[in-house]
């Protein structure tokens, strides 16, 4: 029977109506263009970042521009500290680092290796090999006792006792070796040339003996106590 205008409107209770609407809207046909779970999470993250940036810029003098200046200043400070101090895993000065590896090589071999690296502009390796050549040459001249596990600083300190005129240069060479080997620094041509010059000068320098020779006093001639007996 057709409804007339005089029929009362059909009313549905609120809860069943809401449940019916939820069932209808949950059908896949209504969600084909919805963002994926990842996209929703990403949108929420960027919304959080935007809220955080807005709150920070509101509390910073100059607003967003002032906040940007502060962030750039902090980044510049971090970069400057990184360049000045080296990488965070820089070795402590008290730690011992062996100068040589397990395979013994002569001073000439270390020197030749350093020159090859220098020819290729591999300054870190060139500095390392030249320092090893310096210390090995001193061992070969018996100015240093061959000792496994010796560090560059120890070698410089010991060599400075017999080569006092080169103490400062030996210490600087040891520091250069430690900087490029354990400190994360980068050597340059000038550093290598200073080491090569030191190597050349040490080979021409005569050592200063640290032990004084003990001289024995010369035997004095004792006066002859022999007397000639009177002839009877």
């Amino acid at each position: 029977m057709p409804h007339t205008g005089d029929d009362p409107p059909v009313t549905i209770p609120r809860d069943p109506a809401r449940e019916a609407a939820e069932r209808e809207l949950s059908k896949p046909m209504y969600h084909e263009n919805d963002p994926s779970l990842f996209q929703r999470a990403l949108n929420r993250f960027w919304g959080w970042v935007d809220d955080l940036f807005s709150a920070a810029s509101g509390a910073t003098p100059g607003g967003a521009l002032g906040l940007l200046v502060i962030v750039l200043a902090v980044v510049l400070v971090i970069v400057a500290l990184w360049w000045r101090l080296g990488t965070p895993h820089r070795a402590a000065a008290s730690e011992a680092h062996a100068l040589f590896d397990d395979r013994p090589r002569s001073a000439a071999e270390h020197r030749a290796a350093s020159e090859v690296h220098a020819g290729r502009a591999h300054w870190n390796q060139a500095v390392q090999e030249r320092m090893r050549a310096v210390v090995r040459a001193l061992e070969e001249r018996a100015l240093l006792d061959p000792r496994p596990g010796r560090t560059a600083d120890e070698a410089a300190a010991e060599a400075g006792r017999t080569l006092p005129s080169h103490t400062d240069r030996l210490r600087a060479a040891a520091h250069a070796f430690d900087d490029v080997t354990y400190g994360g620094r980068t050597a340059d041509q000038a550093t290598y040339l200073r080491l090569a010059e030191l190597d050349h000068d040490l080979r021409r320098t005569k050592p200063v003996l640290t032990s004084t020779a003990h001289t024995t006093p010369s035997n004095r001639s004792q006066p002859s106590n022999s007397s000639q007996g009177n002839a009877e």
Side-chain angles (χ1 to χ4, degrees), residues 1-231:
M1 180 177 178
H3 294 284
T4 63
D6 296 334
D7 295 334
V10 178
T11 60
I12 302 177
R14 179 179 300 175
D15 291 342
R18 185 177 66 251
E19 293 174 357
E22 291 175 352
R23 285 194 300 271
E24 178 66 21
L25 293 177
S26 65
K27 294 180 179 180
M29 59 182 295
Y30 294 106
H31 302 280
E32 293 178 352
N33 297 322
D34 287 354
S36 64
L37 179 63
F38 174 76
Q39 186 64 41
R40 291 197 300 272
L42 190 62
N43 291 340
R44 181 169 296 183
F45 170 76
W46 286 118
W48 174 80
V49 171
D50 182 66
D51 293 341
L52 182 64
F53 185 82
S54 298
S57 62
T60 305
L65 181 59
L67 179 62
L68 180 61
V69 171
I70 293 175
V71 170
L72 290 177
V74 171
V75 170
L76 289 176
V77 170
I78 294 174
V79 171
L81 289 175
W82 190 286
W83 177 84
R84 179 67 181 83
L85 301 178
T87 53
H89 64 280
R90 179 184 177 91
S94 59
E95 296 180 0
H97 302 286
L99 180 64
F100 296 102
D101 52 21
D102 295 333
R103 187 174 73 86
R105 287 185 291 174
S106 67
E109 289 177 310
H110 286 296
R111 195 172 291 118
S114 73
E115 292 172 354
V116 171
H117 287 303
R120 298 172 180 173
H122 298 165
W123 302 119
N124 280 17
Q125 295 88 336
V127 165
Q128 291 169 329
E129 289 299 325
R130 202 70 182 204
M131 183 62 188
R132 292 176 179 131
V134 167
V135 176
R136 185 67 79 201
L138 295 175
E139 292 178 349
E140 293 173 353
R141 294 173 61 189
L143 300 181
L144 288 178
D145 294 330
R147 177 160 54 85
R150 175 187 277 123
T151 66
D153 289 332
E154 291 170 346
E158 295 170 16
R161 299 188 187 104
T162 54
L163 300 165
S165 61
H166 299 291
T167 300
D168 293 339
R169 297 171 67 191
L170 284 165
R171 187 181 299 113
H175 289 170
F177 177 89
D178 288 342
D179 283 343
V180 302
T181 307
Y182 312 110
R185 299 290 185 87
T186 301
D188 54 16
Q189 184 179 13
T191 304
Y192 170 74
L193 291 178
R194 285 193 295 269
L195 260 169
E197 184 179 4
L198 174 63
D199 184 23
H200 177 267
D201 293 345
L202 290 176
R203 294 158 65 186
R204 301 165 59 91
T205 303
K206 293 182 179 180
V208 175
L209 298 180
T210 56
S211 60
T212 58
H214 297 284
T215 59
T216 58
S218 58
N219 294 328
R220 296 178 181 178
S221 58
Q222 299 295 329
S224 177
N225 292 327
S226 58
S227 60
Q228 296 179 350
N230 296 328

